[in-house]
Amino acid sequence: MPELDTLIQGFRRFRQQHFIERPEIYQQLVAQGQSPKALVIACSDSRVDPALITDATPGDIFVVRNVANVVPPFVDDGKTHGTSAAIEFSVKHLQVPHIIVMGHSKCGGIRALMEGSHSNRTHGFIDPWMSAMKPARDIVKQESADADLDSQCQQCERAAVGVSLENLMGFPFVREAVEAGRLILNGWYFDFEQGELFERQVDGAYKPLSE
Ligand SMILES: [Zn+2]
């Protein structure tokens, strides 16, 4: 398993740092339980690990990752909704003070959404999943109809963060916590071509966080 060798070596370094050199980190997390600063909803993309990007330590962030960091609309139908379950657990039980939806550059899920019927490829699970972000695609197709696909994808990656933030407010317990001032919703965008992290403003513009 040569592919996994570096990962296993990485675990040995992690173990040395976190269980031998600084055992108090996990001892405290075991004794007191977790109290993360934020729920981060990020893409599964291997280049956008929120713990790496934020240099987080264990216990700092509660993370759910899915294709294209999508928050689906609130649907209470008794079926299996993984992302919604993570939102519920972190807000109702862990009472996180922040939720961060983190989009990113070169997102394959957003590209599949933007290609849509223009692509010969069919995505059995991805297409229905990404349909939750159609409002973002529609905005970009309307406002930037003449732009090339790369540019449209980049705009959609950013617009989709806004749609996910709107969908979050459709969860009654999220809305209640936001309105009570216990919870803040944040939109971030990680551009790994520029090495920059951006924060979404109320007007939909993005401001760099590197300074
Ligand atoms: Zn992605």
Side-chain angles (χ1 to χ4, degrees), residues 41-199:
I41 300 165
C43 185
S44 302
D45 191 302
S46 60
R47 300 164 290 187
V48 298
D49 185 336
L52 279 175
I53 292 166
T54 61
D55 196 20
T57 53
D60 276 352
I61 52 176
F62 191 88
V63 178
V64 60
R65 297 177 71 176
N66 61 41
V67 169
N69 43 271
V70 165
V71 175
F74 175 76
V75 179
D76 190 7
D77 59 3
K79 294 185 179 169
T80 51
H81 297 284
T83 298
S84 303
I87 294 166
E88 180 181 65
F89 185 74
S90 60
V91 172
K92 290 176 81 170
H93 301 282
L94 299 177
Q95 298 177 335
V96 290
H98 288 271
I99 298 178
I100 301 164
V101 177
M102 195 176 82
H104 72 96
S105 53
K106 300 285 181 191
C107 184
I110 293 292
R111 191 167 189 95
L113 174 70
M114 293 305 291
E115 286 175 340
S117 59
H118 300 295
S119 169
N120 293 324
R121 291 174 291 170
T122 53
H123 308 281
F125 289 103
I126 296 172
D127 288 347
W129 174 248
M130 289 308 302
S131 68
M133 293 297 108
K134 275 182 181 167
R137 184 188 69 181
D138 293 346
I139 291 167
V140 173
K141 289 283 186 191
Q142 194 176 11
E143 291 183 355
S144 303
D146 298 330
D148 61 30
L149 181 62
D150 283 348
S151 170
Q152 287 186 342
C153 286
Q154 192 185 61
Q155 290 176 53
C156 188
E157 286 154 3
R158 294 173 182 237
V161 171
V163 174
S164 281
L165 291 172
E166 284 171 22
N167 286 349
L168 274 171
M169 288 298 277
F171 288 70
F173 48 87
V174 170
R175 174 174 285 277
E176 188 187 325
V178 169
E179 290 177 348
R182 299 193 307 269
L183 176 64
I184 297 170
L185 306 186
N186 308 268
W188 285 6
Y189 179 84
F190 177 51
D191 185 329
F192 56 72
E193 294 171 279
Q194 295 184 50
E196 184 60 84
L197 186 63
F198 295 88
E199 182 181 45

Side-chain angles (χ1 to χ4, degrees), residues 8-62:
I8 293 165
Q9 285 163 13
F11 171 69
R12 289 171 183 160
R13 287 192 300 277
F14 175 84
R15 185 173 180 276
Q16 172 69 26
Q17 289 161 8
H18 292 85
F19 287 87
I20 295 170
E21 293 171 11
R22 296 188 61 196
E24 71 279 6
I25 294 175
Y26 272 97
Q27 282 169 1
Q28 200 172 25
L29 287 170
V30 170
Q32 298 177 2
Q34 62 172 329
S35 185
K37 300 176 176 78
L39 161 65
V40 182
I41 300 165
C43 185
S44 302
D45 191 302
S46 60
R47 300 164 290 187
V48 298
D49 185 336
L52 279 175
I53 292 166
T54 61
D55 196 20
T57 53
D60 276 352
I61 52 176
F62 191 88

